[in-house]
Amino acid sequence: MTLKELLNLHSVRSKKSVPDWLLGCFRRHSITFGNGLADTKMQVYWLQSRNFTIDIRLPIDADLVAAKQLASYTRQELEQLANYEGFSANTNWDGEMLSWQAADASLQIHNRWTEPALLKRVGNCMVEFCPSNAYIEDWRLQPSKPGPLIGLRLIEELELDSGLVRHKGGGLIVCGDYAGLTLGRAQTVVKSFADVTLNAMVEQADKNMAIMSQLFNFETSVAKGSLKTGFSIFQSTQPSRVTSDLFPLDGFEQPSKYQDIDLGVVEVIRQKLTIDGKACERLFLIDTLESDIVYSQTTSMSAETEAWFERESSTLTRYTEVLS
């Protein structure tokens, strides 16, 4: 069945959740550091489900690496790819601050963003303060029609005939007009030292394709579309995936019970799909399955505030516009 058909048959809403104003797809407008430097150019997207995040951070288009076979990249291009960022991670909301558990799937092999987030949203603008005051980030909720909120945590992706595990960890988030997918590495990258980075490991591998294939066996992609027409990728840590469909809309099965080594008996969703001509299966944990969420660009104001805005609108709205 299609994901839309599955959603029509099953509704799941986690009792634990971030607040509704944090749900959806956000694009970073800017980051400002304590030293006064700021960046408004990096292409950063954050998709939030009830209890996990998908995040991607890429250079401007002019600095993106072209799509090629991995073996065809130069050393410089491989270093550029190794500085891309993408991850998925469980989130915890304490009523004021959002924290991320260690990423279950991350392109980087060290955690570049270690601090929790103190968050405040006004209109479509969400401001993130970090406790150390090292930086402040300005995020903008991307416009979307009311629509689904789907959060599926990936346990594994495997080839059905051989039993080969292709990916472990990651997830799929659909939030209205946007969707994100993270596919973690099948094997954990073993580091010689705690402070070793992905870039250092790429340099040490010296284009050994067996090692390079393991290091880059990872994807985070962000797409736009719908459950009816599909979602077309516009940003990805895998350059060859841009403009492709994020995921097949069909092949989903009814939720079923699954014995997980760590979690015990859990409810999962399986998706059968064909990848590179091979029959595969993705096994997902359910975070949430909701058919109709409003991704509002506004936040509430008191009657006094609304009266003030109306009273002073001749100057307040002189140059106003929606920034996304």
Side-chain angles (χ1 to χ4, degrees), residues 42 55-59 78-88 102-113 182-185 187-189 191 194-202 214-220 237:
M42 182 83 77
D55 187 291
I56 188 169
R57 299 166 185 250
L58 300 180
L78 289 170
E79 290 175 355
Q80 288 175 270
L81 278 175
N83 270 324
Y84 287 8
E85 295 179 66
F87 68 84
S88 69
D104 78 319
S106 175
L107 178 59
Q108 295 301 318
I109 59 175
H110 74 292
N111 188 359
R112 287 181 169 175
W113 305 94
T182 291
L183 302 173
R185 296 181 181 90
Q187 299 172 321
T188 301
V189 174
K191 299 187 291 182
D195 60 350
V196 171
T197 65
L198 176 60
N199 218 317
M201 294 194 76
V202 168
Q214 180 187 0
L215 292 176
F216 288 105
N217 179 31
F218 178 92
E219 177 184 344
T220 293
T237 58

Side-chain angles (χ1 to χ4, degrees), residues 255-271:
S256 59
K257 299 298 183 183
Y258 174 79
Q259 179 71 44
D260 184 83
I261 296 175
D262 299 318
L263 301 174
V265 179
V266 293
E267 193 170 48
V268 298
I269 288 175
R270 300 174 188 271
Q271 183 189 19

Side-chain angles (χ1 to χ4, degrees), residues 138-164:
D138 178 346
W139 299 88
R140 302 303 168 104
L141 179 66
Q142 297 302 285
S144 172
K145 297 183 294 294
L149 176 66
I150 299 170
L152 301 176
R153 300 301 312 272
L154 182 70
I155 298 175
E156 64 181 13
E157 173 188 293
L158 55 82
E159 293 179 5
L160 291 174
D161 291 338
S162 66
L164 176 69

